[in-house]
């Protein structure tokens, strides 16, 4: 099972392997916090950690420190990890579930889409990403990446042979 917070960056917050009831996604014990309910960050440019609760984030148009892109100052890990994404269910059958998430960036000229697909015959999540509508005259400097902190230590002892 895969759970996604479409209203907060389309973050994957659960990556559950049902046969063993194991969630491979790391989650901060404090849980997700809404931006307006969180303590204001001490540094507006390096505030990712103030809102980070775990999960798998999309990083665009860059994936690291604060920088400037198209003349706009970007916070750490870019602008899309906190944006709301629209949801379109492409397929929902017993054999396959496929959902497309999309968002319009606010500081750079892009519309992004990501599609997540699960099939009944495979335990793998199949993500695909595209920027079908770009109003940019040049690509972003560092592109599109993800941040996926899997919870290796928390489940390793449960699947190790005894």
């Amino acid at each position: 099972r895969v759970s996604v917070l479409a209203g907060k960056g389309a973050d994957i917050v659960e990556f559950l392997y049902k046969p063993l009831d194991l969630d491979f996604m790391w989650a901060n014990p404090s849980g997700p916090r809404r931006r307006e309910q969180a303590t204001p960050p001490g540094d507006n440019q390096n505030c990712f950690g103030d809102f980070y609760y775990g999960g798998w984030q999309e990083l665009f148009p860059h994936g690291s420190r604060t920088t400037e892109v198209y003349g706009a100052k970007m916070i750490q890990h870019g602008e899309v990890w906190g944006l709301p994404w629209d949801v379109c269910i492409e397929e929902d059958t017993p054999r396959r579930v496929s959902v497309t998430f999309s968002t319009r960036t606010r500081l750079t000229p892009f519309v992004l889409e990501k599609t997540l697909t699960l099939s009944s015959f495979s335990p793998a999540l199949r993500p695909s990403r595209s920027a079908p509508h770009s109003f940019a005259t040049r690509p972003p400097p560092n592109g599109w990446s993800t941040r996926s902190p899997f919870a290796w230590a928390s489940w390793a002892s449960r699947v190790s042979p005894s």
Side-chain angles (χ1 to χ4, degrees):
R1 178 175 60 213
V2 175
S3 297
V4 179
L5 294 180
K8 196 221 161 274
D11 291 357
I12 298 173
V13 294
E14 180 184 41
F15 203 82
L16 185 75
Y17 181 60
K18 286 183 174 183
L20 295 177
D21 192 32
L22 290 174
D23 187 357
F24 291 94
M25 194 59 58
W26 181 82
N28 188 324
S30 67
R33 293 180 292 171
R34 298 170 57 104
R35 282 184 179 221
E36 60 272 14
Q37 294 173 337
T39 303
D43 179 353
N44 287 334
Q45 293 298 304
N46 294 298
C47 63
F48 180 83
D50 294 332
F51 304 102
Y52 183 64
Y53 54 85
W56 184 343
Q57 287 78 35
E58 300 295 326
L59 310 180
F60 184 91
H62 68 97
S64 61
R65 67 189 187 291
T66 60
T67 190
E68 191 171 297
V69 179
Y70 292 111
K73 291 185 179 185
M74 292 287 143
I75 59 176
Q76 184 181 17
H77 297 320
E79 65 173 310
V80 301
W81 59 263
L83 292 180
W85 291 55
D86 294 325
V87 179
C88 179
I89 298 171
E90 305 289 345
E91 185 175 346
D92 187 4
T93 66
R95 296 184 53 79
R96 182 177 141 115
V97 173
S98 186
V99 180
T100 297
F101 300 88
S102 61
T103 193
R104 168 71 166 91
T105 59
R106 295 181 180 161
L107 300 174
T108 57
F110 295 94
V111 174
L112 306 178
E113 290 183 355
K114 79 171 178 178
T115 301
L116 302 176
T117 302
L118 285 172
S119 299
S120 62
F121 56 86
S122 171
L125 174 67
R126 306 266 184 231
S128 66
R129 294 173 183 81
S130 65
H133 305 290
S134 170
F135 308 98
T137 57
R138 61 190 187 280
N142 295 326
W144 190 348
S145 61
T146 62
R147 184 174 199 275
S148 50
F150 290 100
W152 301 114
S154 65
W155 60 265
S157 62
R158 294 177 57 189
V159 296
S160 297
S162 45

